[in-house]
Amino acid sequence: MRILFGVQGTGNGHISRSRTLARALRGAGVEVDYLFSGRPADGYFDMAEFGAYRAFSGLTFVTHEGKVSPWRTLQAASPLTFWRDLRALDCRAYDLVVSDFEPLTAHAARRYHKPSLTISHQASFNWPIPRWGEDGLSRQLMRHFAPVSRPLGLHWFHFGQPLLPPVIDPLVAAPDNGNILVYLPFEQTEAIAALLSRFSQQRFVCFHPAIRNVSQWRNLRFEPPSREGFLEVLRGCRGVISNAGFELASEALSLGKKLLVKPLHGQFEQLTNGKTLEMMGLATLMDCLDANQVRHWLDSAALGVISYPDVAGEVARWLAAGAEESVPALSRRLWARTLFPEEVSDRLSELEGGESLSDCWLSQVSVVN
């Protein structure tokens, strides 16, 4: 089998997930070519896993001062460039096109009538799951931005739908080093420093795309983006302060790290992520950079580890076998091997209430005692 795999490069979460899938697909003997879009070609890092990948401008959202800027997004868009790149992208030699919310490959598959699927968190919104802040424009964007014929949605829980658990690397926690990992790429570094420097007894390590060299200021260490360096801090940290992206939250939960999330304003997916984490009892949510909420969260305890199965390996083997097993069957099999802390499982049972989630699904959720 030969696959063209498109990855949305705007956020590092898409790349991290695809990096995990790339290793699994190679292990399953699947031949894959990778295409990235959404950021400048020189803005990618730690990309050895993808071989001779291609990078295009694509389409992306532009943020300013912690919120999506419609005007800057419109200014950055180049429909003519996108159309030219789409016409030049020939996917007829591939058996399957996979898109992680990447529009060029998705539209190319539709143009050449090629089988296509997505493996992404965005695909979970094809089903009636909890959501907040969604409007007509958001629904149309999710539907038409990167359309595929078969969606595989990823989420922290199935909510009675044929979703899959998160795709993450098998991470092992390191001894607690007392640090708090900070990843707020859409916020200004000055605002982050003003917020966290007041907690002088707490050490923070902040990764940010605006940083070029490691620097120390009071109790904050600022570092440039680095996948290996980031994972090293994540494994040993006491907790994570971040925007409400899907992949980092998934990695933190798999390590039992407590979470404080601030959704990106104007982005319904991040608002939904934050509200969902709060609803499930998995994170504390703050609407702005709020010192009082940070103080309360610093004194809180972590809930414990969520143990997700090797979703990447299962999906890779599923694809290599021709994707003959139904997605609902694959979903049930993976959730049956997911272990939740007891407090989280109790919260999910309360949310279920005998109506919103089917008994047959909830009965398959395992509990960590």
Side-chain angles (χ1 to χ4, degrees):
M1 171 179 282
R2 190 181 181 202
I3 292 176
L4 175 62
F5 198 137
V7 183
Q8 174 59 251
T10 302
N12 291 324
H14 296 274
I15 300 173
S16 296
R17 176 168 55 244
S18 299
R19 190 181 287 112
T20 304
L21 280 165
R23 286 192 290 269
L25 289 166
R26 187 174 61 253
V30 180
E31 182 183 356
V32 188
D33 292 332
Y34 293 92
L35 181 154
F36 292 80
S37 73
R39 74 169 71 176
D42 60 358
Y44 296 99
F45 57 92
D46 294 338
M47 300 291 284
E49 201 68 54
F50 304 109
Y53 68 90
R54 289 175 284 174
F56 292 85
S57 299
L59 300 172
T60 187
F61 299 99
V62 179
T63 63
H64 181 65
E65 297 182 346
K67 64 180 68 175
V68 173
S69 171
W71 173 243
R72 286 177 170 82
T73 297
L74 185 61
Q75 285 182 313
S78 178
L80 290 177
T81 299
F82 181 84
W83 177 244
R84 184 184 66 242
D85 291 341
L86 178 60
R87 287 179 60 87
L89 183 58
D90 189 344
C91 62
R92 285 175 291 186
Y94 297 94
D95 302 299
L96 176 69
V97 175
V98 176
S99 169
D100 186 334
F101 206 53
E102 196 290 309
L104 271 174
T105 47
H107 284 280
R110 173 171 288 192
R111 182 181 181 213
Y112 287 107
H113 306 288
K114 279 289 178 179
S116 62
L117 64 84
T118 185
I119 306 171
S120 68
H121 176 55
Q122 286 79 10
S124 67
F125 293 99
N126 283 272
W127 285 272
I129 62 171
R131 62 192 74 201
W132 286 263
E134 186 183 44
D135 54 22
L137 179 60
S138 299
R139 282 192 294 273
Q140 292 301 313
L141 178 64
M142 285 291 180
R143 182 176 301 176
H144 299 294
F145 185 79
V148 296
S149 53
R150 195 174 194 182
L152 267 65
L154 308 173
H155 216 305
W156 299 302
F157 189 59
H158 51 68
F159 300 105
Q161 308 302 326
L163 306 175
L164 306 185
V167 170
I168 53 176
D169 280 327
L171 302 175
V172 178
D176 183 356
N177 58 25
N179 290 328
I180 297 295
L181 171 62
V182 182
Y183 184 62
L184 295 166
F186 306 113
E187 313 295 332
Q188 301 296 311
T189 55
E190 295 82 3
I192 297 171
L195 172 71
L196 301 179
S197 61
R198 68 188 71 188
F199 302 101
S200 58
Q201 302 305 307
Q202 176 62 60
R203 299 190 307 274
F204 300 91
V205 181
C206 178
F207 288 83
H208 198 284
I211 300 298
R212 294 293 176 264
N213 299 292
V214 176
S215 62
Q216 185 78 34
W217 188 74
R218 296 184 181 179
N219 58 329
L220 285 82
R221 187 169 87 240
F222 285 96
E223 298 201 13
S226 165
R227 179 60 179 167
E228 289 306 314
F230 187 91
L231 288 179
E232 182 180 354
V233 175
L234 175 62
R235 281 190 283 256
C237 73
R238 183 163 295 172
V240 177
I241 301 175
S242 69
N243 290 116
F246 179 72
E247 198 67 16
L248 175 54
S250 301
E251 292 173 334
L253 294 172
S254 77
L255 290 168
K257 309 298 182 181
K258 63 181 182 180
L259 274 169
L260 176 62
V261 297
K262 181 211 172 274
L264 174 63
H265 287 283
Q267 224 270 24
F268 107 90
E269 182 195 348
Q270 287 231 348
L271 176 60
T272 291
N273 287 349
K275 291 282 191 180
T276 300
L277 288 167
E278 182 182 52
M279 178 184 71
M280 295 176 66
L282 299 176
T284 298
L285 176 66
M286 63 177 176
D287 295 325
C288 60
L289 299 180
D290 188 326
N292 289 327
Q293 286 192 284
V294 173
R295 183 176 294 107
H296 176 76
W297 175 80
L298 286 173
D299 293 333
S300 67
L303 286 171
V305 171
I306 297 179
S307 179
Y308 291 114
D310 178 17
V311 179
E314 292 288 348
V315 169
R317 290 186 287 273
W318 178 76
L319 287 173
E324 294 182 355
E325 181 184 18
S326 72
V327 173
L330 176 64
S331 174
R332 286 191 294 269
R333 187 157 56 81
L334 291 173
W335 286 112
R337 291 158 49 193
T338 300
L339 306 175
F340 287 96
E342 186 172 6
E343 184 177 341
V344 176
S345 183
D346 290 344
R347 174 70 68 93
L348 293 172
S349 297
E350 293 173 3
L351 292 174
E352 185 263 348
E355 296 179 1
S356 60
L357 299 176
S358 65
D359 292 336
C360 64
W361 278 94
L362 200 60
S363 67
Q364 295 183 24
V365 177
S366 303
V367 179
V368 176
N369 292 310

